[in-house]
């Protein structure tokens, strides 16, 4: 008998898990729970006398179609415009304050403007990296990584341009950085809201 | 009996909250409980329960924690929060209104026939 046809539960479950990841990585943190459900359901089918393979097929089909489940999960990840503004202002203020802190603490020798920019960038990296380190809860995904890169790029570019053009004088130095930070955050978060909605539409169309 | 998607979606929250009001529970058990309570009439698509549970948790109505099953496998348990208890009372009140309206309408129809 060929060993190729022997059902391997571990591989089957792994492939089933990957079918979620292929559609949307946002639900990474939810997969373990679905697998746990799959095991519970399989155990019941096994008790009824089904083979391991049959139990897997029945349990996975009872859980429903993967794209449909992903769509339902994706709906939970959408954010509204108000949340975006709230988060943006909060983050921008936090970044601005810690940027100054970094400047006075570590980057004073770089000069005021460069020091502030470096400080803001370091703060931003720190702020965005923390959630990425959190393994459970669906925070490690492409969307968060994209958010990190995009936001950092926008923020740093904007502040750099502002400094280069000398426009900071209009806002009298410190408030200028705050305004720049808030503007960059709001812009960045709204762009991401747009990207998120487009991704949800795409996922829905796949279901 | 086939259930409309809208009806299932609307009734999911009070049903889940009611089940969790009894004791903390996990997804698979909640599904089985719904089947049992409805005498097998209501059969949710298993996978659809979890997005609802996550939404309720996001709203602060329930809280989850990872625990272990009897055989040591990891399993996520949900319990009702204070906010969830309040929501459940409100949901029950609304469904009771809907129920009485339906009953009144049906009675009127019967008397006309």
């Amino acid at each position: 008998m060929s060993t190729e046809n022997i059902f391997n539960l571990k591989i089957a479950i792994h492939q089933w898990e990957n079918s979620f990841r292929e559609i949307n990585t946002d639900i990474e943190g939810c997969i373990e729970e679905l697998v746990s459900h799959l095991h519970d359901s399989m155990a019941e089918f096994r008790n009824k006398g089904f083979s391991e393979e049959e139990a897997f097929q029945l349990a996975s089909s009872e859980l429903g179609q993967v794209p449909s489940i992903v769509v339902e999960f994706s709906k939970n990840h959408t954010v509204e415009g108000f949340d975006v503004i709230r988060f943006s202002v909060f983050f921008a203020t936090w970044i601005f304050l810690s940027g100054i802190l970094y400047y006075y603490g570590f980057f004073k020798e770089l000069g005021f403007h460069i020091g502030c920019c470096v400080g803001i960038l370091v703060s931003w990296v720190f702020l965005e990296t923390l959630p990425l380190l959190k393994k459970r809860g669906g925070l490690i995904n492409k969307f968060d990584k994209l958010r990190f890169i995009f936001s950092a790029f926008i923020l740093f570019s904007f502040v750099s341009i502002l400094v280069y053009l000398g426009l900071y004088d209009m806002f009298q130095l410190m408030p200028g950085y705050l305004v720049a930070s808030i503007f960059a955050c709001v812009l960045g978060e709204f762009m991401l809201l747009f990207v998120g909605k487009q991704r949800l539409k795409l996922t829905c169309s796949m279901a | 009996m086939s259930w409309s998607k809208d009806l299932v979606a609307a009734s999911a929250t009070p049903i889940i909250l009611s089940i969790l009001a009894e004791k903390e529970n996990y997804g698979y058990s909640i599904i089985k409980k719904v089947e049992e309570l409805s005498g097998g009439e209501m059969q949710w698509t298993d996978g659809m329960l979890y997005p609802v549970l996550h939404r309720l948790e996001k709203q602060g109505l329930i809280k989850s924690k990872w625990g272990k099953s009897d055989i040591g496998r990891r399993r996520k348990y949900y319990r009702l929060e204070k906010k969830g208890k309040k929501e459940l009372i409100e949901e029950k009140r609304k469904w009771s209104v809907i129920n009485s309206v339906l009953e009144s309408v049906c009675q009127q129809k019967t008397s006309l026939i």
Side-chain angles (χ1 to χ4, degrees):
Chain A
M1 190 208 275
S2 164
T3 52
E4 283 174 20
N5 292 327
I6 294 173
F7 177 73
N8 186 320
L9 182 63
K10 271 192 178 175
I11 293 174
I13 291 178
H14 187 66
Q15 282 172 345
W16 185 76
E17 284 177 36
N18 281 342
S19 61
F20 284 95
R21 293 187 184 104
E22 278 165 17
I23 299 175
N24 192 333
T25 51
D26 281 353
I27 66 159
E28 183 63 45
C30 314
I31 294 176
E32 189 180 353
E33 193 177 9
L34 292 170
V35 172
S36 168
H37 182 107
L38 190 76
H39 279 293
D40 283 329
S41 184
M42 277 175 62
E44 195 176 307
F45 283 116
R46 291 284 281 157
N47 286 338
K48 287 178 183 169
F50 288 98
S51 71
E52 198 172 57
E53 186 174 5
E54 287 169 334
F56 171 76
Q57 297 296 347
L58 289 166
S60 55
S61 104
E62 269 199 355
L63 257 161
Q65 290 188 325
V66 172
S68 308
I69 300 171
V70 172
V71 167
E72 292 305 314
F73 271 117
S74 302
K75 285 176 187 170
N76 287 344
H77 285 117
T78 53
V79 281
E80 297 305 320
F82 176 72
D83 285 332
V84 170
I85 295 170
R86 195 160 54 90
F87 283 124
S88 301
V89 173
F90 170 76
F91 286 149
T93 311
W94 193 91
I95 288 158
F96 169 71
L97 293 173
S98 52
I100 292 167
L101 201 72
Y102 273 105
Y103 165 65
Y104 282 112
F106 305 106
F107 306 117
K108 211 170 180 178
E109 66 278 9
L110 293 174
F112 182 80
H113 305 304
I114 297 172
C116 264
C117 287
V118 173
I120 287 169
L121 186 67
V122 171
S123 308
W124 186 271
V125 170
F126 179 70
L127 183 79
E128 293 282 354
T129 310
L130 272 182
L132 291 177
L133 293 173
K134 197 173 172 183
K135 286 191 176 175
R136 299 198 189 280
L139 283 167
I140 294 183
N141 53 49
K142 283 179 189 167
F143 184 63
D144 277 334
K145 283 173 191 162
L146 179 75
R147 171 192 158 133
F148 163 61
I149 295 164
F150 187 78
S151 305
F153 175 74
I154 293 270
L155 182 75
F156 196 56
S157 306
F158 189 79
V159 174
S160 303
I161 292 165
L162 198 77
V163 171
Y164 175 72
L165 295 175
L167 291 177
Y168 57 86
D169 281 337
M170 287 168 63
F171 307 109
Q172 295 174 335
L173 297 174
M174 288 294 189
Y177 281 111
L178 179 61
V179 171
S181 301
I182 292 174
F183 179 83
C185 288
V186 171
L187 187 69
E189 296 285 340
F190 265 111
M191 282 296 286
L192 288 161
L193 177 70
F194 175 75
V195 172
K197 286 198 169 165
Q198 292 303 313
R199 289 182 75 241
L200 182 62
K201 270 186 198 167
L202 187 71
T203 315
C204 288
S205 68
M206 288 171 79
Chain B
M1 187 193 291
S2 79
W3 295 77
S4 81
K5 211 177 167 185
D6 290 338
L7 187 58
V8 171
S11 59
T13 300
I15 290 174
I16 293 169
L17 294 181
S18 299
I19 290 171
L20 294 179
E22 287 175 22
K23 59 168 184 161
E24 70 168 25
N25 220 327
Y26 58 98
Y28 187 73
S29 174
I30 293 171
I31 295 259
K32 290 289 145 194
K33 188 88 181 166
V34 171
E35 269 181 45
E36 182 196 316
L37 291 171
S38 67
E41 290 268 11
M42 283 182 88
Q43 289 187 334
W44 288 352
T45 310
D46 294 10
M48 293 301 153
L49 171 72
Y50 294 96
V52 180
L53 285 170
H54 286 218
R55 180 173 51 80
L56 295 178
E57 188 174 17
K58 204 174 170 186
Q59 290 170 348
L61 304 179
I62 61 175
K63 199 172 170 69
S64 72
K65 68 163 188 213
W66 282 96
K68 288 209 167 162
S69 68
D70 299 338
I71 55 163
R73 202 187 311 118
R74 273 166 63 80
R75 186 182 267 165
K76 206 176 200 181
Y77 290 89
Y78 293 88
R79 67 175 159 80
L80 195 64
E81 289 285 274
K82 216 174 182 179
K83 198 177 166 188
K85 285 177 189 165
K86 283 182 189 167
E87 180 68 20
L88 179 59
I89 294 167
E90 187 60 22
E91 284 276 344
K92 277 183 177 171
R93 196 188 63 79
K94 285 176 190 167
W95 280 94
S96 158
V97 171
I98 291 170
N99 189 41
S100 57
V101 169
L102 276 172
E103 275 183 1
S104 305
V105 170
C106 288
Q107 274 173 5
Q108 276 178 9
K109 230 178 175 181
T110 316
S111 62
L112 282 171
I113 293 166

